[in-house]
Every structure is written in C-alpha cells, then in structure tokens.
C-alpha cells in the first residue's frame, strides 16, 4: 500500500465527521455570489476546529476534542444518481493521474531482492476514489453516522423581515424532517441542533439594523444558538487596480473547489451498461432488515459506469441503490430550482483537480467569472473561522453532550426493564445462542423502530464516536452487537461490530485491549455473505486496511483487498488489487513477484473499466520485475499490452518502444505470433513516423531489426578482382587483390613480402624496421585500426555490414544505403561545413558530385539468418568521411511467402507459462481499407559504431575496461592516385614436377596518375623468373681444357627475393606493359599456393600515401613426373695406345649412370623422354660415351625406366682464367634432335641458382634437380681390401646435373 496523505486515525475521523445541513435564503446566496461562492462553499475551508475543545461523558468526565471536522451540505442538495455516480467515480480516478507519463513515476526507487523498483510514492487516484465512494454513499437506516446532527439557518440582514424568514426556514426543515414516509436528507434524532446565522453585508451600511435583528434573534432562539456574520462584498482597491496586486491574498477555496475542465477524455470511457441491462437493471431503494433479499448484487457495478447520457438521465429518474424506498430526489414543493444544489458539485469542491459533475446550476457547470473570495479580506477569513469555532464549541459540542446524557439515561431505564422481561424467556428458548452469520443465506424480517432500545443504543454509540468518546462508544457497540446477534439482525450486527473494532483502534495507546482483527473479518464476511451489501463491505475494507497498514500488518491488508475483488466492479477491483500489490512489496521480506502479478491483474481490470492510462501505468510497474528475468512469455504479454494501451492513448513513442521488445533474439513465440508482433510494430512505427510535419525534414528513426554486428564491419579499400577472361591472346587472369574473405594468415604473409620490398628499397632492415607499417587494404576487427583508411578520389570503397535476423520471420530490406558525414578539406578549420545524406534541416543537400552511391534494391533475410551486405561509395572530393549508419526500408514476409500487409489475420495464440491462451490481437495498428492491399514498409536506420580492442597493458586499463581507438569508419580521402591492375596470361593451373612453362604479366594503370618503380616479391622465388632481367652466361667463347674438351663459363651469383620489373619509363594512366615470365613447378607433388606482391609508387608525390601494393594468390596443382637415380664409378683401363693418357683418364674420368623412371600417376598419363643433360661444375665436364645410343628418341612410359651412361672428365684449371665463382657448363644431348627445346639455357641456369637461394656454401647450392656425389671408388684390380686403403684411393666427385625432358611434344 502506498503512502497516504492522512494517517489512519485522521482518515477515520474525517469519514465519520458530524454532518451539518445548511438552509439559506435567496438573499444570502446573492451576497455570497459576489465572491464567486455559495454559502456552503464559503465556509468549507474553515470547517475544522483549530483549537482544542472538551466534552463530558455521562459520568461527567471531561475528554478533549481535537481537530474536529464537520461536513457541511446544503439541505436541498441531493446525492448523484447512479449513472452520474458511476461517471463521477471514473472521473475522479482518471483525473487524479498526471497527464505526462514522466510525472506518474515519482523518484521513489526501492531496491528489493536485486530489483531496483521505481514505485509510486503515493496513489492519489485511490485516495480520491475512496473519498468519493464514501461521500456519495446514501445514509442507511441501520446506522446514524451519515445523518445530519444539526441544521444552520442562514438569513441576510437585507431581508425585509429576517425573523419571519428564519421562521419560514425552520418550518420548512420541520416539515421535511417529520414527513411520512421519510425523505432525504435523514436526521439524527427529532431534537436536532438548530443554529441561526444572520449574514450582514458591510457594504450596505445598515449596521444598526443588523444589530437590532441579531438582538431579537438571540432573544427568540437563545444566545448560544445565534451568530452575526459580517461579509464584505465590495471589491478592494487592489483588485480594481490590477489582478497582480491581489496575487498574495490567500485563497483557501482552491483546494476544495474545482475549476471547470473540459471533458477531454470522455471518448475514452466505455459504458458499463450492457445491451438490455437498462430495462432489467432494477436496484433496491431502501435497506432494512425486512428487505435484505431485495438488495441487488450490482450495486457497485452501478456505481462505476463510465459514460453518462444526459438525455436519458433527464427523462428517467433512477434512484440510488442505497437510497430510501420510493424517494424523490427533488421535491418542487419544498425547494425551488435555484436552491436545488447537487451534492456532486459539493463533492467536486472537496477534490481539486476532479471534473465537476453535471448540475442545473450554471455556477457549478460553467467557469466562474468572479475569482474565489475576491472581496474577502483577512479580517473576513478570521470572522469565518470564529463563526465555525463558536458553532462547534458553543453549539454542536454542547448539544452533543446533552444528547449523550439524555440518551444514556433513557437507555439505562429502558434497557433494564427490557432485560428483566425477556431474560427468562431467552434462557428457556435459547435466545443467548451465538449464530454464525456466514452460514445464513436468508435474512430474517427484523425491523427496529426509530425509538427502539437497540436503535437508541446505536444512536448513542455513533454520537459518542463522532465526538471522540471512543471508550464509551466501544462499550455501547460491544453491548449492542450481542443484542443484534441474538435477534439475527445481521446488518445491524455487522455495523456494530465494525464500529466496535474501530473504537478500539481510535483509543489512546494507554488502552490495554488488543485490536480485534477478527471483528473486522467477521464484519466483511457478514456484509458479503449474509447481507449481500458489497457497498458496506467495501467501506469496511477501506477502513480496516488503513488500520492494518498503521499496525504494519501488510499481509492481512493484502488479503482483505483481494477478498473484495469480484467481477461486479472492475474499477473497484483494479484499485484494490493495486493496493494489495503495494502491500506485498512492503512486507518483510518483500514479495516482489506477488507485487508484479497483482499489478498485472490490476492493469487488466483497469483496462476493462476504461482506465487506459492506469492500465498502462500498472503494466509498466509490473514490467520492472519481469524484465530481464527469463520470464520471456510473461514479458511478451506485458510488452504487447503496453503497446496496445499506448497506441490507444496516442502515445506512439511508448507503443513503439514496448513492441520493440517483442522482437528480441530470445523470443520463444511461434512464427505466426512473431509475424503478428512484427506487423503491429511496423504499423505503429509507421504511425509514429507520420506524425512529423510534411514540410519539416527530420532524421531517420532507429529500427531494432535487423541486428547489426558492429565489430564485424569490414572496410575494403581496393576493388574486388580475380576475374578470369578469354580474349584473342588467350586466357587472361586478373590479380586477385584483397577481398572480404582474406584471412589473417594471408595478411601476415603479404605483410612480410611488403616489408621485404620496402627493406630492399630503403636500406637495411635495422633502419626501416621502426617506421614500417604494412599496407592495410581490408580493415577488420583484427587489423590495426589505429590509423584511418586512406582512399583516393574517384576510387571505390566498399563497406561490408553483417546483419542478423533474430526472428523466425523472413525480413525484406529494400533501398539499403550507407549514412555518412563528409567534411571537405577546402572549407578551412573554422566551422567546417559538412555534407550528410541523413534527412535533417541543418545539413546541406547532398550532391552527386560529392559522393556517388547506388543503394541495394532488395535483400531477403530468412529466419535466424546472418548475411553480409556490401555497399560501395565513390568519393569525388578530398576530405574526411565518417560512416554513421545504415538506412533501409524494412518489411516482412508472411507465412505464405508474400510481402506482409495489414490484411494478415489477427488471431494468434499467446503462450503464457504452461498454458496457451488464444487471443485476438486488437487492430490497434489503425489500418484502414485503403492500406489493406499495400505492403507495410517503414524507413529507418541503425547506427554503426565500432569498438577498439580491449586495453590490458596497465592496471587502470584492466580494471576500467578501457578500449583502444578504432578508426576503420573514419576515412581519409586523398588526392587522385595511380592504380595498378595486373593480368596473368597463359598462367597454368596444373604442371608436372619440375615442368617449365612460359607465361606473361600485363601491367595496366587504371588510375589517374602515372606510376613507376614496380617491384614484385613472391613467396616462392625459386619457381619463377622474369625475362626482363635474364641471367645469361658471362661469355660465350669456348674454352679448351687440357684434354681438348670445350665448355661455357658461368659465374656464380646470388638470387634476390625481390625483382624490379623492367618499367623503364613511368606508366601513364590507361597504358599497359607486357613482361614475359617463366614458371617452374615445385619438385613436390600436391597443391601449392604462390603469393605475388606487386609494389609501385606514384610518379608524383601524394599525401598520406608513399606507395601502393597489389596482391595475387595463384593456385597450382603439381603432379609427379620423373624420378632420377645416379650411380658413378671410376673408369677402367680401356687399353689405349698411349699408356700415359690411359692412366690419366683412369684417374680423372668417372662414369655416371642415370636411371630415369616415369612415376606419373594422372589418368591417361603421357610418355616422357629425356632431351638434354646440362652439367655445372668447377672441376668436371660431361660427354657422351656412346653417341649413337644417346641420340635415339626413347619414350619412357608410366612405371618404365631408362638408363643413360655419361662420362665425367676432370678439367685442369688455368689459374689466369679461372676464379672461385666460375662454373663450367657442358651439355650432352639425349635425343636425336635436341634443338626441339625452346627453353634457353640461361633460364635453366637461372632456376638452378634460384633453387640455391643465393647461399655461398657448396653444400647448400644444390638444386632439387642437381646431384652431388661423394664417391667411394675402389681400386680397379682390388689390391687394397681394407677400409683405410679404400679411403686413401678415394676422391671427391662434385658436379651438378640438369636434365631437360619433355612430355610428348612439350619440352622441359
């Protein structure tokens, strides 16, 4: 239960305050109207006793009376009829809620069980309903708390005969009080207090006449029953000079009198009168013990109607359900039209901010033209306060003291006689047996007369209670309830028990009695079960819960609130359920989930009663508990209901926010339900977007779908390549470049190649290692994003955005485009102008000369699908470009595969917990007939924001969760630059091991400026060479050795990993250059990857960029070909004529036997044949042993071998011509026509050196196709048999053989 403005005791005292009637003459109302008030309204703010008074009980003991409040009503006023009462209660509840949602939630954050709940500190709507409910209740015959104790007769001194007018008013009151049957208002007893007030307008200057009349009045009615009240009706000088001068005057009437308010929410109220209920809805008009069976259970339903038809109410008079039988609310014989003031207007005067009820008086229905109390001064205020004080102290309390003594004496006498006569009969006939009223279904016909001892006891107890004699009241209530129980007068019994319980609570803390909670429980049960009067049960609940709240018994209070909920009254049930929820959250320990559950129930009943704003507030309160607690189905139900209520209240922003939560990735709803949710969201979002004026440009709203994985955004600074074309010159493959699929491993490999090129150009690695930064062409989450991407003017940049459809519904994205903000360089530093393609009034219009972009027409996202969306931009000015978001139009596909429109069926099943509730979604999207066939598409955007890597170097960075910069979406646009495109012609896809083929590289400048200094680096430099820088033999002269052989001399050289291409002059834009290239396949079969990195520089300096690179990755499949094994041995004695020569040749000649095997394993493998053998050695040359045998064309089939025998002859060095780096080249033909080969010797020699990778040691200069033999050559005649002897006669045999072979007609 939320905190109330009044304490429990103050509330009970105000509920049961003494009631006083006022009967005024017409002249008095005229005088009061000069201040914009009636007489009752004039004295309303002063009806509380400000000083302490005293009253004596029947034992002549004085008791203090503090803060006594009296309720003053016009005697001719009538209570509102049932339909008006219903509307009045609804108006009170709806108008007590602040208009703005920000004012609803007061900053009252309570942390309960890890829940930060923002609760309402107060519930003014409940207090207003409670006060209204108690004030419009009709007086009942079983109690006297709502009966008038006194009547104040008010006559003006301007009347022709004031004394006669007092006589007429007194006679009018006597007739009304004594008429049969009794009419409203009801009076406490026959001898009520009559008080006479003479009102004198000081502006009339007839003070003597007023004083004379007042003296006569005191002589006639007594000094203590009369009062002369002076009222000023003249406007003060400050009021005539200007309204600002009277601002500081106090206005105590503003709290009690409501100004006129337009019924702005009248259209929102729904009628509780169902079709056909008007004729059958008959309410009882009188409640007594003899007619309890006629009391309708629809009393409270009648009190809570939400619409009021003035035409029907004027033609048909419906009596109040708690009113007397056949009572006429307005009697033309005893009152005139002008004086018939509605109590409903007086009720609204007690509740500032509530709407005034309908009434015949124009004063209460229209706006007041005269400010309240404009003529009254502070002295007038004091006189009014004195008047009320004298009336209460000298008149009302004195009368109450005498009446209490008189009633007590009468009861003492009559009750004693009554007990003596009936005590014996009750003993014999069981009259003292206690009966449980809860099991009574039919009431007995017990009717008490007005002067019956039981009713006199009740009258005495009520009078004592109203004047704060709570001990006396308790004694009498407790005694009376026993008599009522014996007589089975259940309504009287319940009323006496209710007041006895309250009397115990209202006593001072010195009272030793425990609060009898069971009394109030029995009272509520009796009202509901036995008496069938839920109106009094509701009153008892409202009083009892305040008491329980004051005692901290929140659990018991919650149970009483819940007990009073029923299907008869939605508004009452909603308010009581809400209060029960507040009780649960205030328990120790708090029961948060029960709080949320009962707030949902309250919101449902608020919705049924037409209180849309209260329903929205209740659901929003409950959402705080269920949100983020894995109650997905309950959370969906709450969010959907909030969306519906907000839409009905035209709060499209709140509705959009609520429906947005239905589209979460954790949604467990089915596909049709998600489709319905998305349709409603799009419809409401479209309504929200249409609220903006047409002539006002605005920024695109944010959309929740699809989800954008911001850190997965990629920025590609190079155009995609890798195209394969066929032209007149053959197969043409474009360099692959960089794509979004490039892996980090590839980036590492190419970064090493780039560093190798930069180091070879700029100097040793030690001097360039500190300043080298690899060129990043694709910025991702794993790249170094501390620097911004650099894009050249007129070159495309592509952004890849990963979008995720978190729903099961197929989404349709149309007109997808990037949102950006561009700042050109030429604007200067002061207040740079910028361009933006977002719709906004403060940005210039976007020109195609700035940025060119083509949006994507349509993208389909299946349910739970992740897709990459790529959009390219071409920037045409230098400056800075910031990518801010992604804009698109979104729709969804229905289950049938069509684009969803507003004609989708509305029936869905919303699963809650373990049950499935079939619900028809209300068509709150507002779709009309014209839009039924049009697809639902809304325009919006999502922000693109990237987060840098987590910093973890220092303690502050680890503890503070700090992140580094990420500038991949902040692009720098530099001047126009050259752009190199590389095309590979006739580049093979598969080769045999060791196979050599010729290709070419075409360099094309597609940029806007010339380029030069083109370098290339590869991951496998031993596999290719460019013909622009051939490694030819140093001399072509034949050098004769000592034995008459000839050879070419080749100088050994190192092979670098970086090759500078032969681009002699800058390559202009649009120009191209073709460079031959030789490729030798690896010696290991399988799939091989060869990386090419082309490096080039602009011929003219360009800011932010010194060089550019182009990547290419080639895939090469290698199949096995030949397997070669070599065997060598010493030449034997040939029997030559020259013995010396024969000994020399046997010592310096070696035979080499080559076994060549075809191990090709491809289908339809071709035959292979050896063509030529090349020898590179410092000391040896090769020649044929048998020329005719070697020059025969012998094909080697699959799994076949061929044996070749060659002779290696050692050369004698000439010290003048030889050097340590010189190698001798000798050639032996292995086929009949060795000239068929088209591979120059220098190409084979270059591949030989590339295989050695420039290593200086001989042991590391061997290519995979070359052979080094350390031969253990024994003596020919085997004279030495020991190992030592063999080693002494051995020698080192070192040579390199290069065997050229062909595949059919393809020479290698």
């Amino acid at each position: 239960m939320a905190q109330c403005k009044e304490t429990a005791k103050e509330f009970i005292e105000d509920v049961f305050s003494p009631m006083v009637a006022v009967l005024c003459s017409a002249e008095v109302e005229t005088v009061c109207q000069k201040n914009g008030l009636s007489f009752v309204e004039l004295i309303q703010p002063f009806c509380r006793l400000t000083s302490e008074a005293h009253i004596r009980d029947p034992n002549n003991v004085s008791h203090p009376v503090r803060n006594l409040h009296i309720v003053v009503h016009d005697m001719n006023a009538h209570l509102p009829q049932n339909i008006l009462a219903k509307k009045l209660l609804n108006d009170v509840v709806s108008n007590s809620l602040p208009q703005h949602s920000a004012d609803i939630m007061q900053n009252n954050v309570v942390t309960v069980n890890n829940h930060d709940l923002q609760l309402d500190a107060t519930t003014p709507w409940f207090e207003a309903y409670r006060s209204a409910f108690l004030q419009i209740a009709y007086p009942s015959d079983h109690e006297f708390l709502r009966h008038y104790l006194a009547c104040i007769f008010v006559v003006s001194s301007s009347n022709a005969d004031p004394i006669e007018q007092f006589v007429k008013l007194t006679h009018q009151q006597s007739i009304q009080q004594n008429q049969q049957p009794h009419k409203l208002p009801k009076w406490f007893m026959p001898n009520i207090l009559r008080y006479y007030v003479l009102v004198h307008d000081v502006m009339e200057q007839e003070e003597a006449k007023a004083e004379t009349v007042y003296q006569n009045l005191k002589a006639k009615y007594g000094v203590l029953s009369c009062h002369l009240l002076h009222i000023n009706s003249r406007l003060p000088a400050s009021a005539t000079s200007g309204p600002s001068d009277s601002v500081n005057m106090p206005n105590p009437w503003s709290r009690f009198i409501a100004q006129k308010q337009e019924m702005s929410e009248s259209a929102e109220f729904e009628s509780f009168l169902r079709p056909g209920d008007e004729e059958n809805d008959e309410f009882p008009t009188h409640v007594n013990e003899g007619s309890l069976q006629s009391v309708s259970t629809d009393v409270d339903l009648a009190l809570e109607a939400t619409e009021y038809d003035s035409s029907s109410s004027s033609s048909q008079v419906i009596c109040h359900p708690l009113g007397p039988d056949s009572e006429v609310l307005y009697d033309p014989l005893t009152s005139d039209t002008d004086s018939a003031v509605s109590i409903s207007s007086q009720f609204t005067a007690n509740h500032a901010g509530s709407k005034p009820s309908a009434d015949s008086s124009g004063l209460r229905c229209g706006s007041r033209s005269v400010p309240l109390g404009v003529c009254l001064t502070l002295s007038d205020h004091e006189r009014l306060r004195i008047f009320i004080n004298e009336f209460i102290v000298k008149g009302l309390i004195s009368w109450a003291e005498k009446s209490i003594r008189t009633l007590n004496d009468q009861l003492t006498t009559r009750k004693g006689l009554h007990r003596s006569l009936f005590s014996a009969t009750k003993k014999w006939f069981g009259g003292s047996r206690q009966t449980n009223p809860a099991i009574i279904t039919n009431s007995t016909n017990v009717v008490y007369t007005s002067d019956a001892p039981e009713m006199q006891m009740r009258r005495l107890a009520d009078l004592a209670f109203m004047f704060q004699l709570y001990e006396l009241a308790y004694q009498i209530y407790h005694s009376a309830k026993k008599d009522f129980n014996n007589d089975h007068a259940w309504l009287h019994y319940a009323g006496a028990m209710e007041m006895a319980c309250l009397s115990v609570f209202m006593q001072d803390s010195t009272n030793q009695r425990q609060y009898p909670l069971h009394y109030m429980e029995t009272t509520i049960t009796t009202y509901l079960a036995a008496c069938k009067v839920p109106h009094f049960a509701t009153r008892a609940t409202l009083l009892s819960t305040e008491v329980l709240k004051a005692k901290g018994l929140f659990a018991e209070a919650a149970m009483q609130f819940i007990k009073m909920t029923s299907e008869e009254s939605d508004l009452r049930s909603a308010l009581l359920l809400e209060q029960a929820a507040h009780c649960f959250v205030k328990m120790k320990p708090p029961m948060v989930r029960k709080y949320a559950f009962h707030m949902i129930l309250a919101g449902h009943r608020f919705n049924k009663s037409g209180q849309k704003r209260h329903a929205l507030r209740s659901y929003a309160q409950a959402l705080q508990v269920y949100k983020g607690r894995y109650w997905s189905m309950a959370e969906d139900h709450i969010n959907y209901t909030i969306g519906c209520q907000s839409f009905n209240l035209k709060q499209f922003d709140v509705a959009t926010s609520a429906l947005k939560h239905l589209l979460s990735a954790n949604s467990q709803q089915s596909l049709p339900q998600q489709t319905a949710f998305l349709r409603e969201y799009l419809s409401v979002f479209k309504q929200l977007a249409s609220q903006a004026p047409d002539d006002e440009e605005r920024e695109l709203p944010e959309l929740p779908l699809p989800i954008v994985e911001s850190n997965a955004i990629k920025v590609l600074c190079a155009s995609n390549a890798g195209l394969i074309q066929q032209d007149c010159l053959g197969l043409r493959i474009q360099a692959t470049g960089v794509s979004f699929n490039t892996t980090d491993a590839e980036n590492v490999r190419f970064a090493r190649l780039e560093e190798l090129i930069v180091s070879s150009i700029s100097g040793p690695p030690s001097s360039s290692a500190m300043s080298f930064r690899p060129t990043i062409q694709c910025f991702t989450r794993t790249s170094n994003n501390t620097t911004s991407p650099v894009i050249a003017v007129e070159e495309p940049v592509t952004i890849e955005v990963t979008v995720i459809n978190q729903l099961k519904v197929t989404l349709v994205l149309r007109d997808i485009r990037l949102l950006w903000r561009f700042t050109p360089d030429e604007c200067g530093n002061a207040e740079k102008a910028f361009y933006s393609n977002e719709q906004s009034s403060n940005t210039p219009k976007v020109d195609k000369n700035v940025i060119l972009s083509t949006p994507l027409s349509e993208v389909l996202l299946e349910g739970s699908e992740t897709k990459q969306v790529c959009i390219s931009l071409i920037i045409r000015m230098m400056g800075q470009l910031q990518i801010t978001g992604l804009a698109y139009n979104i729709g969804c596909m229905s289950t049938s595969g069509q684009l969803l429109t507003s004609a989708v069926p509305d029936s869905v099943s919303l699963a809650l917990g373990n049950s499935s509730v079939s619900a028809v979604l209300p068509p709150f999207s507002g779709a009309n007939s014209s839009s039924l066939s049009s697809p639902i598409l809304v325009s919006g955007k999502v922000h693109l924001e990237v987060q840098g890597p987590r910093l973890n170097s220092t303690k502050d960075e680890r503890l503070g969760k700090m992140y580094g910069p990420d500038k991949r979406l902040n692009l720098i646009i530099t001047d126009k630059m050259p752009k190199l495109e590389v095309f590979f012609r006739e580049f093979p896809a598969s080769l045999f091991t060791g196979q050599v083929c010729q290709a070419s590289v075409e360099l094309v400048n597609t940029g806007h400026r010339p380029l030069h200094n083109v370098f290339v680096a590869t991951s496998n430099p031993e596999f290719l060479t460019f013909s622009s820088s051939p490694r030819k033999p140093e001399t072509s002269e034949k050098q004769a050795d000592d034995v008459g052989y000839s050879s070419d001399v080749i100088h050994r050289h190192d092979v670098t990993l970086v090759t500078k291409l032969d681009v002699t002059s800058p390559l202009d834009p649009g120009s191209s250059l073709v460079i031959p290239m030789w490729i030798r396949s690896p010696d290991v079969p399988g799939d091989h990857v060869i990386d090419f990195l082309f490096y080039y520089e602009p011929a003219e300096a360009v800011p932010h960029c010194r060089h550019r690179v182009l990547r290419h990755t080639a895939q090469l499949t290698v199949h096995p070909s030949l397997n070669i094994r070599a065997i060598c041995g010493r030449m034997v004695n040939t029997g030559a004529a020259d013995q010396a020569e024969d000994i020399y040749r046997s010592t310096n000649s070696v035979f080499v036997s080559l076994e060549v095997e075809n191990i090709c394993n491809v289908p339809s493998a071709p035959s292979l044949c050896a063509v030529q053998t090349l020898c590179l050695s410092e000391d040896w040359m090769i020649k044929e042993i048998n020329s005719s045998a070697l020059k025969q064309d012998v094909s080697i089939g699959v799994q076949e071998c061929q044996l070749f025998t060659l002779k290696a002859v050692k050369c004698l060095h000439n010290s003048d011509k030889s050097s340590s780096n010189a190698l001798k080249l000798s050639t032996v033909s292995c086929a009949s026509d060795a000239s068929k080969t088209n591979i120059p010797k220098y190409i084979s020699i270059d591949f030989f050196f590339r295989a050695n990778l420039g290593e200086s040691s001989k042991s590391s200069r061997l290519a995979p196709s070359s052979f080094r033999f350390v031969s253990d050559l024994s003596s020919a005649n085997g004279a030495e048999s020991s190992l030592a002897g063999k080693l002494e006669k051995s020698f080192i045999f070192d040579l390199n053989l290069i065997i050229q072979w062909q595949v059919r007609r393809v020479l290698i």
Side-chain angles (χ1 to χ4, degrees), residues 340-357:
V341 182
S342 173
I343 289 184
S344 63
S345 63
Q346 298 183 22
F347 163 75
T348 58
N350 295 332
H351 298 274
S354 61
K355 298 179 181 178
S357 59

Side-chain angles (χ1 to χ4, degrees), residues 359-373:
D359 186 67
S360 59
S361 174
L363 174 65
R364 291 150 187 85
C365 293
S367 61
R368 300 173 184 264
S369 58
V370 180
L372 301 179

